[in-house]
Each structure stands twice: as structure tokens, then as C-alpha cells.
Amino acid sequence: MARERQLSPRISGRPDALSRRTLLGGAAATAGAVALTGAAATTAAAATRDADVVIVGGGLAGLVAARDLVAGGKTVVVLEARDRVGGRVVNLPLANGGVTEGGGEFIGPTQDRIKALADSLGVATFTTYNTGKNLLYKDGKKSPYATDGLLGSVPPVDVAGLANAAIVQSSLDDMAKQVPLDAPWTAAKAAEWDRQTFESWLNANAIVPSAKFLLDVACTSIFSAQPRELSLLYVLFYIAAAGNESNPGTLERLTETAGGAQESRFVGGSQRVPIKLAATLGDRVVLNAPVRSIDKSGSTYTVTADGITVTARRVVVAVPPPLAARISYNPLLTAARDQLTQRMPMGSIGKAIAVYDTPFWRADGLNGQVVSDTGLARSTFDNSPPDASYGALMGFIEADEMREYDAASTDEVRAAVLKDYATYFGDRAKSPTSFVLQRWDNEGFSRGGPVAFAPPGVLTEYGAALRKPVGGIHWAGTETSTYWNGFMDGAVRSGERVAKEVLAAL
């Protein structure tokens, strides 16, 4: 069950070169930026540019939009606040010379657009390690279980709990089929579903405690938020979005490894995709340029960022709604759009990766995947490279657990995580060769992840403002996608959609 910093770029002749600096006082070491040409790596004071379109945000959504707009014959400038591209997709360098993913990393069936993009850029995938048994750690007991039996990868709780969980999952899938992906607020029962939390619905339907445990784990693993925080309508939409035009979304596809959203990873780390894409755009991408204001004068927009001002006919804002709200707009955005951004918080998430000489858990017949009811890292994966030249255990820190440790030191987080790993995998887990940590809550240009979610009442009251342009300002980002909302695939789809929208308007 799973999904998804600011450093000076190291310029290199390789389009996917990564920096090797360590972020002191922060969560981890992180990968550097793109080897871009011209003004992309340095932003001269008071630089000015003109373009047809200026794009705010150099994540997958913004870069894909730029690619398609350039292909459509338009001039484009991408303004990225960080000194790297990728947004919530970032590679973290390891002391042994390898890399691991600090943000979005997995893809799976029906995530067609991110796969097509990666293929076009020559970034290969490999299967997430899934050989051997999963572990359930519950009530102080460790229970290995097979992932290819009658229950699949469902943790082996009591029979009553499994039966109740199966009914709940089937009900959620059936309800999700009634949610229009492009306008979930128009569902026949939208008002009923949007006035309650996912928690209140689970309390009425997941009546066996062990079933409630399974659904709670699924919720925090998917959203990095607690069931009490989420609108039921939003959860149903998210399930419906976990598919494509030919395959309806299901909860199982969201939570599974084999056959699900965690099936595959990218060779060399997921950030290679935006890095390579940005390299094709050259000096159209400007780093270290956080946007402060967007001002309209006549038929043009002036977008002011640190060190650069761009005048354009259209603007694409491709950052999460809460971050988009921090830009100053003149004239003001519509009340509906502003109210929407005030009400969509980011999930709370961190990823902790411990590196070992070998993936020793494999010799014990374990695949590195854990579901736990206690500890700081309650969901883990084997993040070792495809050649298993070293071992890497990745743990998600999510929702309440992440918030509890947001102000903790890196050493405190490390100690708590390694304690959990030792509980799951034995004393060898206490002594990694290195340890890296990415805390998205504390990352200045994300402030959480993997997605900005909707609490009760938001979709029915303000959902229509999510993608609706405000004058010449258009909206992109994974939160605006109708398929695979919250995932890399959703980000790519949103970039493709907004580019068509802008081209039609110009």
C-alpha cells in the first residue's frame, strides 16, 4: 500500500546529471537539477522575457505542458522555484553512489501517459521487488503472509474482518462507478457523500475492528491523511480515477503492488523523467525563480519571479492548489477559486530510506513490504536497485505520525524508523550503511504530499473552480487530473490537457 530541496544545480554535459550535495539541517541529501543551457541555471537580476505562455512550476505537469505548447508552435518560459525540476518527484543521492526516490516513484497498469513519456525519453522501468512474503505487524505479533494466495496481498486478519473488508471494498468500488470523473460534484448522491467524512462512513460500514484497521491503513497509505480528514465523495472520486478510459478505477488497483499502482519503478530513479524532459526544453526552463505575482494589463500578463519577469498572453499555474494560493494575483482570482485553494490541504508525508550492503531480508523469504499498526514507519517497501548491488528499505511516514515528527531532528526520526525496521526485519536493520530522509511537510515549495485533498463540502461547493480558467490563467497539476489524480500519471495528463486548452485559446 503506497503510492509518493533546494540545492544549487551542478551543471554538467549530461542531460540527466545529478548533484551530490547534502542538505544540512534538513531532511536528507537530495538530487540536483538539470544540465540546462543558457539562462536556465542562473537567473540574472532583473532579467525580462516575452513569451506566448509562461508556466509556473517545473514539475511533470508544467514540463509536459511546455513540451506540447512548443510542439504547437508557441513560445514558452517555465519558472521553477526550486533549483531542480520534478516537483514532488526527486532522486536522493546515496553515499554508495546510488540514488533512491524521495517522492513519487511507482507506476502501474493503466498509468499510460507517464509510461509513454518515460518511453519517449528512454527511461526504462523494472518490476518492484515482490518475491517472498509480506509482513503484518499487528498487536505486537509479526505474521508473514504470501501475496499470491486466495487473499492476494490482503493482510491475514481474522475471518470476520476479511469478510467485512471485502464487502466494504466492493461497496466503495460500486459507489465510485457512480462518480463522474470530470465533475464528481454532479454525482446523484454527491451532496450526501460530500457532507460526511470517510471516517464516519467507515464507522457505519467497517464494523469489525480488523476490517476498520485494513481500511484505515489503506487510507493513510493512499492519501497520507486520516479518514477523518477526507470527504467520502473525494475518496470515491479518487478510486474512480485509478484507471483509464478502458478500465474503471478500483480500490484494489490503488493498493496493490503486482497489478496495481506500485507494480514498477524507474531505472535510475523517477526524477530522470522530468530531468530528461527539461533538457529537451533547454533555456525555456528557469530555475531558482519562485513566482511572487501575476498581474494582468490589457490582454497580457506580467509574471514576476525572483530575478526574472515574463510577459505573456497566457499563464499556466502548475503547482498544488495551496501553493498556487500564495501567489499574488491582480486582478484578484474569482472568489470560488480562492475559496477552493483555502480548503485543499496537502497530505503529510515523509520517506525514510535505510541502505545496507545487501537486501538481507530477501534471504529470509521476505519482500520488504510491511503493514503495521504501530511505529513511525507503518508501510515499507524494498527500494533496492534492480541488480540488488545493495539493499534499501523505504518506509512511508504518513498523516498523524508524520505530523508528530515534523519538528523532530533527523537523528530522532532516524532512531524511530530504524527501531521499526528492526522490529520488522531483525537486528541487522539497526545498522544501515547510510540513511536518507525526505520530509515533504518541511519542503518549502510543496509543504506536504502526495496530493492536495478535499475535506467534506469542498467538491460540491467549489469543485467546479478546480480546472476552470480565470481569464487567461489556466490550471494544471496532478490535483486537476481526471485519471490518476495524485500520481505522476495524473500530472502528465494534466499537462497534456492544459496545453490543448491553451492552444485552443490562443
Side-chain angles (χ1 to χ4, degrees):
M1 298 178 179
R3 333 314 126 252
E4 303 223 353
R5 262 116 60 115
Q6 299 141 229
L7 299 174
S8 299
R10 172 175 293 180
I11 306 305
S12 161
R14 295 192 299 121
D16 57 343
L18 302 177
S19 70
R20 299 290 182 187
R21 295 179 54 193
T22 300
L23 180 61
L24 300 178
T30 187
V34 192
L36 296 173
T37 60
T42 59
T43 49
T48 60
R49 292 201 203 179
D50 295 316
D52 292 320
V53 185
V54 59
I55 297 172
V56 180
L60 283 168
L63 295 173
V64 167
R67 175 202 66 182
D68 290 357
L69 288 165
V70 170
K74 303 305 177 185
T75 56
V76 173
V77 175
V78 180
L79 300 177
E80 168 53 47
R82 302 172 177 89
D83 69 350
R84 63 168 181 83
V85 294
R88 285 165 276 178
V89 177
V90 63
N91 283 354
L92 305 179
L94 301 175
N96 63 9
V99 297
T100 194
E101 299 92 341
E105 68 173 281
F106 299 109
I107 69 167
T110 74
Q111 295 187 7
D112 310 310
R113 302 315 303 152
I114 181 63
K115 183 63 165 61
L117 174 61
D119 288 347
S120 73
L121 295 168
V123 181
T125 60
F126 67 101
T127 302
T128 302
Y129 190 79
N130 198 39
T131 301
K133 293 184 177 182
N134 284 24
L135 281 177
L136 169 65
Y137 187 80
K138 188 175 184 295
D139 300 326
K141 180 182 178 182
K142 186 163 56 177
S143 303
Y145 62 98
T147 62
D148 55 359
L150 292 177
L151 300 177
S153 62
V154 178
V157 298
D158 55 275
V159 174
L162 290 172
N164 188 199
I167 294 171
V168 169
Q169 178 171 316
S170 179
S171 297
L172 289 169
D173 287 346
D174 288 343
M175 294 158 68
K177 292 174 184 176
Q178 304 172 45
V179 178
L181 286 173
D182 59 346
W185 47 89
T186 66
K189 295 185 177 180
E192 174 188 339
W193 291 338
D194 203 33
R195 73 168 62 103
Q196 61 183 302
T197 64
F198 187 38
E199 173 85 6
S200 62
W201 187 87
L202 285 177
N203 286 341
N205 291 273
I207 56 177
V208 179
S210 55
K212 180 63 162 50
F213 161 73
L214 293 178
L215 273 299
D216 285 347
V217 169
C219 178
T220 54
S221 297
I222 294 167
F223 300 104
S224 298
Q226 303 296 148
R228 66 175 184 271
E229 301 177 88
L230 303 162
S231 157
L232 174 60
L233 177 63
Y234 175 75
V235 171
L236 296 175
F237 158 72
Y238 210 83
I239 293 170
N244 60 14
E245 293 78 0
S246 303
N247 299 274
T250 65
L251 179 58
E252 183 178 26
R253 192 175 292 122
L254 281 169
T255 60
E256 287 294 311
T257 300
Q262 287 68 239
E263 184 172 81
S264 300
R265 298 168 58 201
F266 290 107
V267 175
S270 51
Q271 197 191 3
R272 289 188 65 215
V273 178
I275 285 174
K276 282 177 167 281
L277 179 54
T280 69
L281 295 168
D283 64 4
R284 298 180 183 90
V285 180
V286 182
L287 304 176
N288 300 304
V291 170
R292 307 302 180 183
S293 63
I294 300 175
D295 301 282
K296 184 179 182 182
S297 178
S299 60
T300 63
Y301 289 84
T302 299
V303 179
T304 303
D306 290 2
I308 185 169
T309 299
V310 184
T311 301
R313 298 159 61 194
R314 294 275 161 166
V315 180
V316 172
V317 178
V319 298
L323 278 296
R326 300 182 185 188
I327 300 170
S328 174
Y329 299 87
N330 182 30
L332 295 174
L333 296 178
T334 61
R337 172 70 196 185
D338 195 73
Q339 292 284 326
L340 172 78
T341 59
Q342 292 180 45
R343 288 166 167 79
M344 289 189 73
M346 301 297 290
S348 297
I349 186 172
K351 293 179 73 174
I353 301 95
V355 180
Y356 304 88
D357 289 334
T358 64
F360 60 85
W361 50 92
R362 296 183 184 182
D364 296 328
L366 302 175
N367 62 18
Q369 296 174 44
V370 171
V371 174
S372 176
D373 67 349
T374 191
L376 185 56
R378 300 188 179 194
S379 175
T380 71
F381 279 84
D382 183 328
N383 254 41
S384 308
D387 63 0
S389 54
Y390 59 87
L393 282 173
M394 182 273 287
F396 285 109
I397 310 171
E398 300 180 285
D400 283 349
E401 285 70 47
M402 187 69 265
R403 289 187 281 263
E404 182 181 353
Y405 274 77
D406 276 339
S409 69
T410 299
D411 286 344
E412 289 171 327
V413 176
R414 181 183 188 274
V417 168
L418 293 182
K419 180 180 178 182
D420 292 337
Y421 290 177
T423 296
Y424 308 146
F425 301 108
D427 285 346
R428 293 180 66 182
K430 293 180 180 178
S431 304
T433 58
S434 62
F435 181 88
V436 292
L437 177 66
Q438 177 76 23
R439 287 189 279 189
W440 289 99
D441 295 22
N442 295 340
E443 201 279 330
F445 296 112
S446 295
R447 300 318 306 260
V451 64
F453 61 85
V458 175
L459 288 180
T460 48
E461 290 295 326
Y462 306 106
L466 189 59
R467 287 183 296 274
K468 185 178 180 180
V470 178
I473 302 174
H474 302 256
W475 313 103
T478 190
E479 286 85 2
T480 71
S481 185
T482 53
Y483 287 107
W484 286 109
N485 192 287
F487 289 74
M488 290 184 286
D489 190 73
V492 173
R493 288 174 182 270
S494 79
E496 294 172 338
R497 184 265 307 161
V498 83
K500 292 177 183 177
E501 185 178 285
V502 172
L503 287 171
L506 288 175

